[in-house]
Amino acid sequence: MASTLEKFIHSLDPRALPRVLQIQSGIYFQGSIYEMFGNECCLSTGEVIKIIGFKINKLIASICENNEVSRFSAKVELPLNFPGLYKVVADKIPYVSVEEITRKVSIGPTRFGHPCFYSPEDIKLANLTIKHGEQITFNSVEEVNGTMAVNCGVVRNNQYHSFTLPLSQEGKFYECEDDQIYTLKEIAEWKISKCRNRIVKLSNTLHTWDCPNPLPENFDGCLILTPVYEVQAVMKFRKDIVHILSDLDVEVKDITDCYDISSFLQPLSLEDVFERTSKEFPMVVEIIEGPSGSQKPYNLLHTGNEIIIYKKYQATRVLASEIRSDSPKRHFLIPMSYKGKFKRRPREFPTAYDLDIARSEKEQLHVVATKAFDSPHKELFSVSVGDQFLVQQCQTSEVLYEGRKKVIDVLSCEQILSDTYKKVLLPMYMEGGFVEVIHDKKQYQLSEICKEFRLPFNVKVSVRDLSIEEDVLAAVPGLQFEEEITDSYLLIGSTSSPVESWEIPVYRLNMSVHLLSRDAQTVVPPATKTTVEEISEEQYYMMRRYENQTLHPPPRPPKKPT
């Protein structure tokens, strides 16, 4: 049965990909050339294409009144990078089963991918009853005892209770209210369900848009967002991937069940390659779509080039950010193979509590106060700007508070005077300001810093890595090493000149390849070249969000007694 491309894509479950479509009719029935993102393709009646992926490309927005499109509202296009922060309005239309939720709602590993629902009726499980109106968090979809189910959770009396709901579970499930704020890009990726529009309320306007604002002046109301998808497709006799917008006026018919899908080119993303077993490496692939760039290794990854993928693995990187007071800061992922050397730079500490966290057994922490503090207790020390301290240890101390003795946490320090030292106690809740005094002139390798010191740690490059053609870190006046992370990489090399190999990230490189051979002659990869990867602000925050999910936050500093 034929349908418009737009209707087909809006109802398509990504898990059902790839799909083979035949063009039935439309404005291109005589075979016009259609160009999108630099790719030309001819969509004529009877043409067969294979859909391999789709994602939201832009949003059509209409002003919303009483959950409906305003009669006086014109539709406007909003790109995904349109500035502003938005609140999601809960959908009033219920889902009728858990299976429908998994088919239409994005559920994934990040905090965006944990949607919440409630049922107007009790749900009785084997060892738990979910009460009506109780907020259920959907965390992940997996197979449990041979049955597909969703890992869920509820919070009761500050205790988290985990359970599973089978996809066959029926009933009405309503979206819960969401008090978080999101960018349009985050909403497009995680908060628009298949076959549904999304109502959002403008929460905060960001005045960073250079083009004319398509929304009314001083607008602060609600918008109904309708997605327009970019469809990635493979043509019958072409090697490249073509990109088509879903609102193209073309009718299509799904003929997947009666067509030999293997007759098409089989494009693989880097994620697809990484999911292959280790025994399938090394392999030779041809690049169908690759990133732009003239520096190595990106000059090896241009469309049409052939490369060897030697192996897949997890590798450690140090996430580092440029030290500067203004923004934007640059962010880097530094491999442990980096051969440059670093000298320490002073750290800054906003509270006495931060001094306690930073102190180590290896050396005594020496700091200078940059902000004055008047102690409310005579037993504790009042700090003046310029005072110098050697940090000792955390302990407790009795103070007189409203005529009564009270025990509080304090930081024991030695104040450095002209010819002597004086023991003083600083309240742990003290909000001051301190800068580290560096006595250590040693030059460190990256691995030494990670082994001997606690991150975050401030440095600057003192000797650049001579094995790198252009060491971007050498030009940065100061770096803060924030944390060690583990990420997925492929080791690649050129088929024409296999004298060196390179690591490329699996999840930050938008690339498609075509498998040519698993019989690669060079089994042992040549020497691996070091590359420092500079990442975008968005990639940095997504990485910190994902990494920090597994970390427990440090305890909050104790509050000043009231």
Side-chain angles (χ1 to χ4, degrees), residues 29-61:
F29 64 93
Q30 290 182 337
S32 298
I33 297 296
Y34 173 66
E35 184 174 352
M36 177 58 64
F37 306 113
N39 290 294
E40 291 183 347
C41 62
C42 181
L43 295 176
S44 55
T45 300
E47 181 78 51
V48 177
I49 61 175
K50 182 172 77 168
I51 305 297
I52 59 172
F54 59 93
K55 61 182 180 181
I56 295 178
N57 172 269
K58 60 184 177 182
L59 297 163
I60 306 298

Side-chain angles (χ1 to χ4, degrees), residues 2-3 22-29 44-46 249-252:
S3 68
Q22 186 178 55
I23 307 297
Q24 297 294 298
S25 64
I27 57 173
Y28 295 98
F29 64 93
S44 55
T45 300
D249 188 13
V250 169
E251 287 198 341
V252 296

Side-chain angles (χ1 to χ4, degrees), residues 201-458:
K201 180 172 174 54
L202 185 61
S203 175
N204 187 10
T205 305
L206 302 178
H207 301 286
T208 56
W209 190 247
D210 296 330
C211 304
N213 190 341
L215 299 176
E217 189 175 356
N218 300 322
F219 176 76
D220 63 351
C222 290
L223 297 171
I224 297 182
L225 303 179
T226 303
V228 176
Y229 292 90
E230 174 196 312
V231 181
Q232 295 101 44
V234 178
M235 309 289 287
K236 183 70 175 177
F237 300 107
R238 294 180 59 152
K239 281 190 173 181
D240 57 342
I241 296 172
V242 296
H243 301 259
I244 306 167
L245 290 183
S246 61
D247 58 356
L248 187 65
D249 188 13
V250 169
E251 287 198 341
V252 296
K253 182 180 179 182
D254 189 341
I255 58 170
T256 307
D257 295 338
C258 57
Y259 201 89
D260 180 13
I261 203 166
S262 63
S263 63
F264 281 93
L265 185 76
Q266 304 291 326
L268 301 171
S269 66
L270 293 189
E271 291 95 324
D272 296 330
V273 174
F274 193 81
E275 286 174 3
R276 303 228 163 183
T277 63
S278 298
K279 294 179 181 179
E280 296 180 68
F281 295 89
M283 62 177 69
V284 178
V285 300
E286 179 184 356
I287 296 169
I288 301 173
E289 268 192 344
S292 58
S294 57
Q295 291 184 328
K296 290 184 178 180
Y298 299 108
N299 62 339
L300 305 177
L301 306 179
H302 293 168
T303 300
N305 286 3
E306 293 183 10
I307 59 171
I308 302 173
I309 302 179
Y310 294 104
K311 58 181 178 177
K312 66 170 187 175
Y313 51 86
Q314 301 282 319
T316 301
R317 293 289 187 269
V318 171
L319 181 61
S321 294
E322 182 181 20
I323 298 174
R324 57 187 296 174
S325 55
D326 57 338
S327 59
K329 297 179 181 179
R330 298 170 72 188
H331 307 284
F332 306 93
L333 288 173
I334 310 173
M336 288 300 178
S337 60
Y338 180 81
K339 298 179 182 63
K341 291 187 176 181
F342 301 93
K343 278 188 175 180
R344 296 173 63 175
R345 278 199 55 173
R347 292 171 286 178
E348 295 183 4
F349 306 99
T351 68
Y353 177 78
D354 294 297
L355 294 177
D356 183 47
I357 292 176
R359 66 186 176 87
S360 71
E361 301 296 328
K362 178 179 171 58
E363 63 178 358
Q364 200 161 34
L365 183 60
H366 178 189
V367 295
V368 178
T370 57
K371 186 178 177 183
F373 170 77
D374 290 324
S375 172
H377 309 291
K378 65 178 183 179
E379 300 90 345
L380 305 181
F381 190 69
S382 292
V383 176
S384 300
V385 173
D387 286 348
Q388 296 192 44
F389 303 96
L390 295 176
V391 178
Q392 301 290 323
Q393 63 187 14
C394 175
Q395 62 185 61
T396 58
S397 176
E398 279 190 347
V399 297
L400 201 61
Y401 178 68
E402 293 183 348
R404 292 184 178 182
K405 288 185 177 181
K406 185 173 182 178
V407 176
I408 66 169
D409 291 328
V410 295
L411 188 65
S412 173
C413 299
E414 286 186 338
Q415 184 189 12
I416 303 174
L417 302 174
S418 57
D419 56 355
T420 185
Y421 297 91
K422 176 186 175 184
K423 184 170 182 178
V424 298
L425 300 177
L426 304 179
M428 202 70 85
Y429 61 77
M430 168 187 170
E431 292 184 6
F434 302 91
V435 172
E436 183 179 22
V437 178
I438 302 292
H439 301 284
D440 182 4
K441 305 300 181 185
K442 181 182 172 182
Q443 299 184 108
Y444 291 92
Q445 298 278 4
L446 180 62
S447 57
E448 291 178 308
I449 292 174
C450 293
K451 183 179 180 181
E452 296 181 22
F453 299 100
R454 181 181 292 178
L455 302 186
F457 198 74
N458 293 0

Side-chain angles (χ1 to χ4, degrees), residues 466-504:
L466 298 175
S467 71
I468 302 178
E469 202 169 293
E470 184 183 349
D471 187 350
V472 293
L473 299 182
V476 180
L479 287 166
Q480 182 175 76
F481 292 163
E482 298 186 16
E483 62 182 320
E484 288 185 54
I485 67 163
T486 302
D487 208 355
S488 304
Y489 289 87
L490 296 171
L491 188 66
I492 64 137
S494 170
T495 54
S496 58
S497 178
V499 293
E500 55 193 19
S501 60
W502 304 83
E503 293 176 327
I504 59 173

Side-chain angles (χ1 to χ4, degrees), residues 33-257:
I33 297 296
Y34 173 66
E35 184 174 352
M36 177 58 64
F37 306 113
N39 290 294
E40 291 183 347
C41 62
C42 181
L43 295 176
S44 55
T45 300
E47 181 78 51
V48 177
I49 61 175
K50 182 172 77 168
I51 305 297
I52 59 172
F54 59 93
K55 61 182 180 181
I56 295 178
N57 172 269
K58 60 184 177 182
L59 297 163
I60 306 298
S62 307
I63 294 176
C64 172
E65 293 179 358
N66 299 322
N67 291 341
E68 294 181 355
V69 176
S70 170
R71 290 183 301 164
F72 308 103
S73 170
K75 292 184 178 181
V76 296
E77 282 190 9
L78 296 181
L80 300 188
N81 62 345
F82 185 75
L85 297 172
Y86 304 82
K87 277 196 171 184
V88 170
V89 177
D91 198 337
K92 303 299 182 188
I93 302 174
Y95 295 85
V96 297
S97 67
V98 172
E99 186 275 334
E100 185 189 7
I101 293 174
T102 62
R103 188 162 33 88
K104 295 182 177 180
V105 179
S106 296
I107 300 173
T110 74
R111 70 177 182 89
F112 296 125
H114 297 159
C116 296
F117 298 88
Y118 70 90
S119 170
E121 299 177 356
D122 291 354
I123 301 174
K124 294 183 179 180
L125 305 174
N127 54 357
L128 185 69
T129 297
I130 311 302
K131 298 173 183 176
H132 63 275
E134 197 166 19
Q135 179 171 301
I136 308 168
T137 302
F138 283 46
N139 294 314
S140 62
V141 182
E142 60 184 61
E143 190 174 322
V144 179
N145 299 326
T147 303
M148 294 305 294
V150 179
N151 288 317
C152 302
V154 294
V155 177
R156 292 176 179 171
N157 299 323
N158 296 321
Q159 293 289 319
Y160 190 81
H161 302 271
S162 298
F163 60 94
T164 60
L165 286 177
L167 266 58
S168 58
Q169 180 76 44
E170 294 183 343
K172 291 183 177 181
F173 293 90
Y174 290 89
E175 262 190 341
C176 294
E177 295 292 338
D178 188 346
D179 59 357
Q180 300 294 314
I181 54 175
Y182 304 94
T183 64
L184 272 190
K185 190 172 189 297
E186 290 168 343
I187 290 171
E189 290 178 353
W190 294 99
K191 298 298 175 183
I192 298 184
S193 304
K194 295 292 295 177
C195 303
R196 298 194 183 198
N197 298 328
R198 169 60 78 189
I199 299 176
V200 298
K201 180 172 174 54
L202 185 61
S203 175
N204 187 10
T205 305
L206 302 178
H207 301 286
T208 56
W209 190 247
D210 296 330
C211 304
N213 190 341
L215 299 176
E217 189 175 356
N218 300 322
F219 176 76
D220 63 351
C222 290
L223 297 171
I224 297 182
L225 303 179
T226 303
V228 176
Y229 292 90
E230 174 196 312
V231 181
Q232 295 101 44
V234 178
M235 309 289 287
K236 183 70 175 177
F237 300 107
R238 294 180 59 152
K239 281 190 173 181
D240 57 342
I241 296 172
V242 296
H243 301 259
I244 306 167
L245 290 183
S246 61
D247 58 356
L248 187 65
D249 188 13
V250 169
E251 287 198 341
V252 296
K253 182 180 179 182
D254 189 341
I255 58 170
T256 307
D257 295 338

